Amino acid sequence: MIDYEEMNKVLGQADREFAKKVPREPEEETISDGEAVEQPYVACMEKLRRTREYIEHVQKGVREEHDEAVAGNKSVNKELIGAVYGLALHTIIFPVICWIFIFNHVLIAVLCGVVGVFWLFSTFSFVKKVLNVFTTWLVMKSEPGTAAGEYAREFRIPAYSVRRRQCEERLQLLQDRLTKLDMFERQIERQWGLSNADYEAMVSLREIPKETETFSDKKEVTLREFREWKKQRKK
């Protein structure tokens, strides 16, 4: 008669010997060689999803700040060009008109003289405005290390180049955390969970350092303010 019990033992031993010879898949090696899974798959994936949503929410806000800095950098250029163009028209149009008509009639000459007085005052005011716009442009587009950059730093003015660079560094930090989350997601799917240590490391990605530097709402600088500040520095 066939001894089935003995045959099962022999077959079981043969299976075990065969299993030792067959190379394991990399995923199986990772599971067996890694730490014990202590946090279940569902809990890990839910926490990962919430962490990713939070980081992406912060990322969206920083990207908006970056876009505002880029747009502001362009707008301050347009303001300066517009002010210079307006001054050019102001100083050219009236003298040309007067030159054309001043010799036609004495009343026109008198009228041009009266209007010319007001024109001189308005021109002085216009020049002052252009100089203030230029000073604002100088400070808002300043780089660290320059006089305008030091002024912006001292009065916590958000110079566009500095603000843009800070946003880019913060966006890179957030992207690095999202990349780590992707790695954790693959690890969760491979191991069907995480160890407590890996779980805590994944959760800690949500703890994003806050910006230490704050800025004021001041975005306009007059020539007088800037010159007085430079005089104070020289004392």
Side-chain angles (χ1 to χ4, degrees):
M1 295 180 62
I2 300 174
D3 190 342
Y4 289 101
E5 184 176 352
E6 184 65 24
M7 183 175 67
N8 288 335
K9 289 180 180 181
V10 173
L11 292 175
Q13 181 64 27
D15 290 340
R16 286 191 292 272
E17 292 295 331
F18 178 76
K20 291 179 181 180
K21 296 178 181 180
V22 176
R24 291 178 298 173
E25 295 293 329
E27 294 182 356
E28 295 177 352
E29 291 179 5
T30 304
I31 294 172
S32 61
D33 295 339
E35 299 181 49
V37 173
E38 297 164 307
Q39 295 293 335
Y41 175 88
V42 175
C44 290
M45 292 300 287
E46 178 63 18
K47 193 66 176 180
L48 184 143
R49 181 185 65 81
R50 292 184 179 182
T51 303
R52 177 180 281 121
E53 288 179 350
Y54 175 74
I55 295 176
E56 288 177 344
H57 174 72
V58 177
Q59 188 182 50
K60 180 181 178 182
V62 177
R63 190 173 287 115
E64 289 176 353
E65 292 181 14
H66 178 270
D67 293 342
E68 288 177 1
V70 173
N73 187 57
K74 294 179 180 178
S75 67
V76 76
N77 290 337
K78 292 180 180 179
E79 288 177 6
L80 179 60
I81 294 173
V84 173
Y85 182 72
L87 178 62
L89 291 179
H90 179 82
T91 54
I92 291 174
I93 292 178
F94 178 75
V96 169
I97 293 176
C98 285
W99 180 258
I100 294 174
F101 296 101
I102 195 171
F103 301 109
N104 290 351
H105 199 282
V106 66
L107 291 178
I108 295 178
V110 173
L111 180 62
C112 286
V114 174
V115 175
V117 174
F118 292 99
W119 176 83
L120 287 174
F121 281 107
S122 64
T123 300
F124 176 77
S125 178
F126 216 132
V127 170
K128 184 179 178 180
K129 177 182 178 181
V130 172
L131 290 175
N132 288 338
V133 171
F134 174 75
T135 306
T136 299
W137 175 88
L138 194 66
V139 172
M140 295 305 294
K141 291 180 69 70
S142 63
E143 294 286 345
T146 62
E150 288 300 310
Y151 182 92
R153 184 188 61 81
E154 184 173 329
F155 292 95
R156 298 184 295 108
I157 298 174
Y160 295 125
S161 60
V162 174
R163 190 64 187 135
R164 187 178 68 250
R165 190 178 302 114
Q166 289 179 342
C167 288
E168 289 171 353
E169 292 174 356
R170 197 160 176 80
L171 285 172
Q172 183 60 53
L173 180 146
L174 294 170
Q175 186 57 50
D176 291 343
R177 288 174 179 256
L178 289 175
T179 300
K180 290 180 181 178
L181 274 181
D182 291 337
M183 295 172 62
F184 275 119
E185 184 174 13
R186 290 192 293 270
Q187 185 176 349
I188 293 169
E189 293 176 346
R190 184 170 62 244
Q191 298 180 174
W192 208 246
L194 291 174
S195 65
N196 285 336
D198 288 338
Y199 182 82
E200 291 299 325
M202 182 185 71
V203 173
S204 68
L205 295 176
R206 182 185 174 91
E207 300 172 3
I208 302 171
K210 294 183 178 180
E211 289 185 289
T212 56
E213 186 173 2
T214 57
F215 296 98
S216 67
D217 296 329
K218 185 177 178 63
K219 292 186 179 180
E220 293 183 4
V221 183
T222 65
L223 178 62
R224 181 179 180 181
E225 291 173 338
F226 189 66
R227 291 180 64 182
E228 289 179 351
W229 172 81
K230 291 186 72 175
K231 289 180 180 178
Q232 290 293 328
R233 290 190 68 190
K234 292 179 180 180
K235 291 182 180 180

